Amino acid sequence: MKENKGTQLNEEIRDKEVRLVSDDGEQLGVMSGKEAQAIASERGLDLVKIAPKAKPPVCKIMDYGKFKYEQAKKEKEAKKKQKVITVKEVRLSPNIEEHDLNIKANQAHKFLKNEDKVKVTLRFRGREMKNTQKGHEIMEKFRKTLEDVCVVEKSAKLEGRQMIMVLAPKKEQA
């Protein structure tokens, strides 16, 4: 029975004195570890050390198997309620046409509606690096088309040969 991680139970508890709590939460007082073990086995339950750092350590009488099951169930429920945020990428170029920009904006709009973040990347190639101002204008135009559904998390910034902007979905005000 070594699958418990750091939790001491039954015979593993070798403290001289422990503070005992019954299975219904009632304080039974401070007693020797052997006495506490005897009370637990008399009730047909396990003795579990729940606060090892306390003076004296606190032990509780409980059904350890049931306790582990309830804990696993709670963890599973918490995992279900988590929302994983993914980052989708939309790539643009400095000489993108109006229609293509609108298509990319619609694509980003769908991502934002699904509550995903959108990373907008504008890549400059060769001589396009001379016109970084045009890149800023394109990014600003892209942001304005989506301003009703997004918030700028990271504004457009030139990093090497790429201009990157991160958009996050707007939170609904209730």
Side-chain angles (χ1 to χ4, degrees):
M1 192 183 238
K2 283 284 181 198
E3 81 271 348
N4 53 359
K5 297 177 204 122
T7 309
Q8 290 183 340
L9 50 112
N10 298 333
E11 289 81 29
E12 294 173 5
I13 300 170
R14 292 198 172 88
D15 298 290
K16 287 180 183 163
E17 279 192 334
V18 293
R19 181 176 303 279
L20 190 62
V21 180
S22 71
D23 50 332
D24 53 10
E26 182 188 334
Q27 294 280 339
L28 298 177
V30 178
M31 59 183 70
S32 74
K34 290 194 189 318
E35 279 181 65
Q37 181 59 50
I39 294 170
S41 58
E42 183 181 295
R43 295 185 183 184
L45 296 170
D46 298 309
L47 183 66
V48 182
K49 191 188 281 189
I50 54 173
K53 301 240 189 283
K55 296 278 186 224
V58 180
C59 294
K60 186 173 184 179
I61 298 172
M62 66 171 78
D63 183 350
Y64 189 69
K66 185 177 177 183
F67 171 72
K68 290 278 285 184
Y69 171 74
E70 295 291 330
Q71 244 182 353
K73 207 163 133 180
K74 281 180 191 171
E75 284 175 19
K76 195 175 179 184
E77 200 62 39
K79 211 175 236 186
K80 251 188 225 177
K81 291 178 183 167
Q82 279 182 345
K83 171 74 174 111
V84 179
I85 297 171
T86 53
V87 179
K88 304 283 188 169
E89 186 175 12
V90 175
R91 287 188 175 173
L92 307 174
S93 71
N95 46 13
I96 191 168
E97 292 295 321
E98 185 75 30
H99 179 70
D100 295 335
L101 188 71
N102 289 336
I103 287 173
K104 295 284 188 178
N106 288 339
Q107 198 175 23
H109 190 278
K110 285 179 192 168
F111 295 149
L112 291 163
K113 281 291 180 194
N114 287 338
E115 300 202 1
D116 294 326
K117 289 184 181 180
V118 177
K119 178 180 173 184
V120 185
T121 308
L122 195 144
R123 180 171 284 143
F124 295 98
R125 291 169 23 213
R127 294 188 187 134
E128 293 172 345
M129 278 303 289
K130 291 180 182 174
N131 300 15
T132 55
Q133 186 56 40
K134 189 176 179 188
H136 277 287
E137 290 166 9
I138 290 169
M139 288 293 224
E140 186 58 28
K141 195 176 202 179
F142 191 81
R143 185 195 62 77
K144 280 192 174 155
T145 57
L146 295 170
E147 68 186 347
D148 58 326
V149 290
C150 76
V151 176
V152 177
E153 194 169 272
K154 184 179 167 213
S155 57
K157 185 178 168 192
L158 191 65
E159 295 175 9
R161 291 190 158 273
Q162 293 184 25
M163 190 173 288
I164 297 170
M165 172 172 68
V166 179
L167 304 173
K170 251 186 193 171
K171 299 284 183 242
E172 302 299 317
Q173 276 83 31

